[in-house]
Every structure is written in C-alpha cells, then in structure tokens.
Amino acid sequence: ALKHFKDAYPSCELTKEDIFYYIYGLLHNEEYRERYADNLTKQLPRIPRVKSFDDFKAFSYAGRQLADLHLNYESADMYTEAKLTGKTKGLKLTKQAIVGGVDEDYRVTKMKFSKKDDKSTVVYNSGITIENIPEQAYDYVVNGKPALEWVMERQAVTTDKKSGITNDANDWAIETMENAKYPLELFLRVITVSLETQKIVNALPKLDILN
C-alpha cells in the first residue's frame, strides 16, 4: 500500500500512518459511499487514490480528527446547549460534569423520545428529560443506526428472553465507571461527537479519483 500511494505522489513524503488515516477519512465520505454502494455491500472496501496530494492530505488529516473523536468519545465535551429538565434538584450541565441530585436520580431503565416524530427531546427517566437536541446530531450513523440511538438502546436495563440474563447499564456505570451519571453523560458526549463528525465529514474535498 505504501508503494502504491508513493507511486501516485512520487515527490511527496507520506507514511503508512498517513495512509491509515486517509482510509479512515475516505470511508466517512458520503460521495465515496454512494459511488461504491453496490461494491461495499458485497466486497471488501476498495480504496482509490485521489488525484492531488493536497486532497490526500485533507482526507488523512480529517481521518486523524475523526479517529481522535471516535476513540475518545467518553472524554468528549458534553453538549451544553442541551437543556436538562425534570424533578432532580440542582440539575446543572457543564462541559465535563453534571451537577445535582443523588446517584439514584440518574438510574435509567430505557431512554425514549418524548414524541414519535420528534427527536429533539429524550426522556431519560421519570426525573430527567433532555431537551434541545439538534436534529443533525442523528446524522452520524454507525452500522445503519444513529450513534445516539445506539446509546439509547445500550444504556438501558434489558433481559434476554432465552437466557433470562438481565443486562443493567446502571451496574456498569456504578461498578465499572464509578459514576451513576455515566449513561446520561455518555448521551450528551455523543451529541458532541456526532455534530463534530458531521462538521469534519462535510468539509472533506470532492472525490476526484486517480485513474
């Protein structure tokens, strides 16, 4: 792969790491996904070379930014333009912390949208509601589903019908993360990750491929 890309840009310096992040950036490009949609459903992804080294660098830099976002999602800033309402006393949101209430106030059973056709408001539990969620936050899709909806699905209490085993996100939050607020904080962090992802993806260069 290194030789393949160096052949395309013979006078330019690039590394295997640059290629890795170029690929990660390219795989997020909507034009790439649309152009190769049929191939991507049946084959391993084919990675074309873009014509200009400037575009290669742009994809590679975007890939680094995206990888940093996606690897470190648990420490991303929470989306402070969201509004937390409800019965929990002293509820306040900052970039890295939620203030107010006691651990039991943050217990989650299943997050749900307040209305069927309105994703701007999510009912976290009977005492906390998340309002002012931007619609574009749902545009970041992972394996066919918005990242935020994955959080809603996984940060819950569910029981497997066959085994009878209960998976309780609250246990993980308290015992492993030592933070009862973890499910709520994760949702608010993934809003930020989703918005930043879309901002980076939307700024990618037009896909001009080397023949």
Side-chain angles (χ1 to χ4, degrees):
L2 183 61
K3 181 183 183 304
H4 183 65
F5 277 88
K6 281 187 172 181
D7 287 346
Y9 321 113
S11 61
C12 304
E13 289 293 325
L14 61 92
T15 66
K16 292 179 181 180
E17 191 174 90
D18 294 330
I19 297 169
F20 177 88
Y21 289 115
Y22 166 83
I23 293 170
Y24 197 66
L26 185 71
L27 291 175
H28 281 82
N29 180 261
E30 290 301 322
E31 190 179 354
Y32 170 81
R33 290 180 175 185
E34 289 173 11
R35 190 183 299 188
Y36 297 101
D38 290 341
N39 302 80
L40 291 170
T41 60
K42 301 171 184 176
Q43 303 170 323
L44 289 172
R46 294 179 179 270
I47 306 301
R49 298 169 297 182
V50 289
K51 283 184 180 178
S52 79
F53 187 63
D54 284 343
D55 283 355
F56 173 88
K57 288 193 296 183
F59 275 105
S60 185
Y61 179 65
R64 287 177 186 271
Q65 290 179 298
L66 290 167
D68 182 61
L69 263 178
H70 300 161
L71 287 169
N72 300 301
Y73 65 94
E74 289 180 308
S75 59
D77 288 343
M78 285 183 276
Y79 183 69
T80 53
E81 291 183 41
K83 184 180 179 183
L84 300 181
T85 60
K87 304 172 186 176
T88 301
K89 293 182 179 179
L91 199 59
K92 184 180 177 182
L93 170 63
T94 69
K95 286 184 177 181
Q96 286 295 327
I98 295 174
V99 179
V102 296
D103 282 1
E104 189 58 30
D105 292 328
Y106 295 93
R107 180 171 179 78
V108 63
T109 301
K110 182 175 178 59
M111 296 184 227
K112 59 185 179 181
F113 297 115
S114 63
K115 297 177 183 177
K116 185 177 180 181
D117 298 321
D118 181 11
K119 294 185 176 183
S120 66
T121 302
V122 168
V123 177
Y124 177 78
N125 62 21
S126 60
I128 300 172
T129 297
I130 311 162
E131 299 178 355
N132 199 34
I133 303 166
E135 184 179 342
Q136 59 267 37
Y138 294 94
D139 290 342
Y140 176 42
V141 175
V142 180
N143 289 340
K145 185 184 295 185
L148 280 175
E149 293 185 27
W150 280 115
V151 176
M152 293 172 70
E153 181 180 294
R154 300 300 175 87
Q155 297 300 312
V157 179
T158 57
T159 301
D160 182 77
K161 290 181 180 179
K162 289 184 178 180
S163 67
I165 295 172
T166 296
N167 181 38
D168 190 333
N170 302 285
D171 292 342
W172 168 269
I174 294 169
E175 296 169 10
T176 304
M177 304 307 295
E178 300 181 345
N179 178 14
K181 302 170 186 175
Y182 176 80
L184 177 57
E185 290 184 350
L186 180 63
F187 185 88
L188 293 162
R189 294 186 200 281
V190 173
I191 294 176
T192 299
V193 170
S194 298
L195 293 173
E196 289 300 312
T197 294
Q198 290 308 112
K199 189 185 298 183
I200 295 167
V201 168
N202 291 337
L204 286 169
K206 181 176 174 58
L207 193 62
D208 193 7
I209 294 172
L210 187 67
N211 291 327

